[in-house]
Amino acid sequence: MTIKNAQARSSLALLIEEKLGYAMTKQVKPVSTNSRYSHTTSQNNFSIQSPHGTLKRALKRSQLQRIQRQQNIESIMGMSLTLCPDVTSRGRPDPDWLEHFITLAEDIANQTMQKLWAKILVGESIAPGTFSIKSLQTLKLMTQREAEALQKCASLCGYLEKEDSYLIILGYYKKPSILDLLRKGSTETMNLSQAGLSFPQILTLMDINLMYRQEIESASLQKGQSLTLVYQNKRINFEAKSNDLVLSYYKLTQTGDELKKLINTPVNKAYKQLLSKTLEEEFNLVWE
């Protein structure tokens, strides 16, 4: 056995002891050669050597689990007090919501994820109704890969105030004029992977219902009309240079909107450059 293998087994044994409350030791079994039911592979060679019966061991494991859950929820609530700004609250969270929150959050042991749950509690304490139970359930089941996809997505999202939602501008097209119906009109689309958000990550966000599956189009913009988005603390106006311009974008779902609020990241620099390069021919981009 190599040193690396030995370290892995030692680490695994320690993990098992922490969760079970008892160490597992290797059994010495006599080799059976005549039994028709004997197996030569996939045998369990380890067991717990303890004077305590199975029931008492189960009770101890349950106690350890309850202790860990209590430590988790105390950590999250402590973080929430640290993160909470000195602002006026609009009321108390709904009691049923709070019970769901505790039930879902008490199994969160990762400190990074605990901080997200703490932010949720802060947000709900300031403005009850900010986070739905569905969003809590989605966050609870989210894998590391899915969380990374949301993180990448967040830095590309602009906030549309009039709809209270987040979206990612993809490009635009110009409707053909009546005098030129045979032409499709000019179209420009960005490759979001150049800004760090790959197509598989987009599909992941769609699969977990954080992003709508279909691209969405804005209303037709005439010359001088604009669409305004907010990227963290900066506003950008997309002002049309000519008539019949339509912006295309991906839009987050209600659950996506709620979870996006947990992630405060500045606008992605590569995406900002892509926006300017892709839209500059037909739009004036004004940052405020």
Side-chain angles (χ1 to χ4, degrees):
M1 182 183 297
T2 65
I3 294 176
K4 189 173 292 186
N5 288 339
Q7 290 175 340
R9 177 169 289 183
S10 176
S11 177
L12 177 59
L14 181 60
L15 183 151
I16 291 171
E17 184 174 358
E18 288 175 355
K19 294 300 179 182
L20 294 182
Y22 297 89
M24 300 197 82
T25 57
K26 192 169 185 178
Q27 300 172 337
V28 179
K29 291 185 177 180
V31 178
S32 176
T33 56
N34 298 323
S35 173
R36 60 185 295 188
Y37 300 107
S38 63
H39 297 280
T40 57
T41 60
S42 302
Q43 292 183 355
N44 180 8
N45 296 324
F46 287 81
S47 66
I48 292 174
Q49 301 298 317
S50 170
H52 301 142
T54 304
L55 177 59
K56 191 165 184 177
R57 298 202 303 271
L59 290 173
K60 183 173 182 178
R61 186 174 69 84
S62 178
Q63 289 175 337
L64 290 173
Q65 188 177 55
R66 291 172 66 183
I67 290 170
Q68 180 64 62
R69 285 175 170 171
Q70 185 66 20
Q71 290 173 340
N72 291 341
I73 202 66
E74 287 177 1
S75 177
I76 289 169
M77 290 184 169
M79 285 184 186
S80 70
L81 287 172
T82 302
L83 296 171
C84 189
D86 189 13
V87 296
T88 302
S89 172
R90 299 178 191 172
R92 291 172 60 87
D94 179 82
D96 290 339
W97 182 95
L98 190 57
E99 289 303 315
H100 278 286
F101 175 87
I102 292 173
T103 299
L104 293 168
E106 64 184 2
D107 286 324
I108 307 301
N110 179 280
Q111 286 191 349
T112 300
M113 296 302 290
Q114 283 183 350
K115 188 174 182 180
L116 291 181
W117 285 86
K119 287 182 177 180
I120 287 176
L121 184 56
V122 170
E124 195 68 17
S125 297
I126 294 172
T130 300
F131 297 97
S132 65
I133 292 174
K134 183 178 180 181
S135 292
L136 300 184
Q137 293 169 334
T138 299
L139 184 61
K140 173 69 178 289
L141 297 175
M142 193 176 292
T143 65
Q144 185 65 35
R145 180 174 63 87
E146 292 165 347
E148 289 174 359
L150 178 59
Q151 185 79 29
K152 293 283 187 180
C153 167
S155 66
L156 310 187
C157 286
Y159 179 62
L160 185 60
E161 290 179 310
K162 65 180 181 180
E163 295 184 8
D164 188 25
S165 63
Y166 289 92
L167 52 88
I168 300 176
I169 297 291
L170 293 172
Y172 74 92
Y173 73 88
K174 184 177 177 65
K175 291 183 177 179
S177 65
I178 298 176
L179 300 176
D180 197 10
L181 293 176
L182 296 179
R183 295 184 59 188
K184 294 182 179 179
S186 58
T187 302
E188 293 290 338
T189 304
M190 285 179 282
N191 181 358
L192 296 182
S193 64
Q194 294 179 11
L197 183 65
S198 68
F199 189 63
Q201 288 175 322
I202 292 172
L203 292 179
T204 293
L205 294 172
M206 292 175 176
D207 287 341
I208 60 176
N209 196 36
L210 296 187
M211 181 184 287
Y212 287 109
R213 290 188 174 276
Q214 300 296 325
E215 292 182 19
I216 299 175
E217 297 179 352
S218 71
S220 182
L221 298 173
Q222 305 307 310
K223 184 176 181 180
Q225 288 185 319
S226 64
L227 177 75
T228 301
L229 297 178
V230 179
Y231 291 86
Q232 204 174 31
N233 296 323
K234 295 185 177 180
R235 303 170 70 89
I236 177 172
N237 294 313
F238 299 84
E239 182 183 339
K241 293 181 180 180
S242 60
N243 293 327
D244 301 320
L245 294 174
V246 177
L247 288 165
S248 60
Y249 53 87
Y250 285 130
K251 188 174 185 296
L252 299 192
T253 63
Q254 179 182 341
T255 301
D257 285 336
E258 291 178 8
L259 295 183
K260 162 62 183 76
K261 293 174 183 177
L262 300 173
I263 307 172
N264 296 317
T265 55
V267 60
N268 182 296
K269 291 182 179 179
Y271 179 65
K272 186 176 179 180
Q273 292 174 349
L274 277 174
L275 276 177
S276 298
K277 183 178 179 181
T278 304
L279 305 182
E280 64 183 357
E281 184 175 338
E282 291 287 358
F283 288 88
N284 289 316
L285 272 63
V286 181
W287 291 86
E288 299 175 355

